[in-house]
Amino acid sequence: QREDTLKEIVRLLGPEALPDEEKLILEVARMAKIGLLQQNSFDDVDTYCSPEKQYKLLKLVVEFYKRGQQALKDGVELGKIKEMDIIPVLLKARMEIKDDEMPKLVDIEKSMDEQFKNISGAKIQN
């Protein structure tokens, strides 16, 4: 619902009309659609996804959002967040990580932690 409202504002007034916090919401919504909700039934890995993997992928996207919010509060520009190398990794994880390779998701979370530390210098709380 909120995403639709924000998209309507962007459509009418342009993206510069939104504060960075709301632009981050749109970015994370896009990530959730691409990285979690779309499914490729022709892909061997993406045809089936265990509930555990789905939960961990969703948790990573939520953590990205929380850390992105904190980075914005710490003065990091939204552009730096949107340019992070972890974003394409998160988007591809559902198709590249098999159900029996769950420890790779922990590695992605560690990489995300490091990247947020690098752009903001903020302490990441778990």
Side-chain angles (χ1 to χ4, degrees), residues 49-120:
C49 182
S50 70
E52 178 186 12
K53 180 179 168 187
Q54 291 176 25
Y55 171 76
K56 289 186 177 187
L57 288 169
L58 177 61
K59 188 176 174 187
L60 284 171
V61 173
V62 170
E63 283 300 313
F64 180 90
Y65 174 66
K66 289 179 181 178
R67 293 172 187 181
Q69 281 184 311
Q70 186 59 51
L72 288 174
K73 288 178 185 175
D74 291 341
V76 176
E77 294 176 13
L78 179 63
K80 284 192 171 198
I81 295 171
K82 291 172 77 171
E83 293 171 357
M84 291 175 66
D85 293 336
I86 198 66
I87 293 175
V89 174
L90 287 170
L91 297 178
K92 295 177 190 173
R94 71 177 166 81
M95 294 192 318
E96 293 182 352
I97 297 175
K98 298 176 184 174
D99 282 352
D100 61 351
E101 299 175 328
M102 299 299 271
K104 289 183 177 180
L105 294 175
V106 174
D107 295 339
I108 290 174
E109 184 173 17
K110 289 178 184 175
S111 179
M112 183 169 58
D113 286 347
E114 286 303 313
Q115 289 183 34
F116 271 108
K117 285 178 187 177
N118 289 340
I119 65 166
S120 67

Side-chain angles (χ1 to χ4, degrees), residues 41-52:
S41 61
F42 298 108
D43 184 273
D44 290 339
V45 176
D46 199 29
T47 298
Y48 172 78
C49 182
S50 70
E52 178 186 12

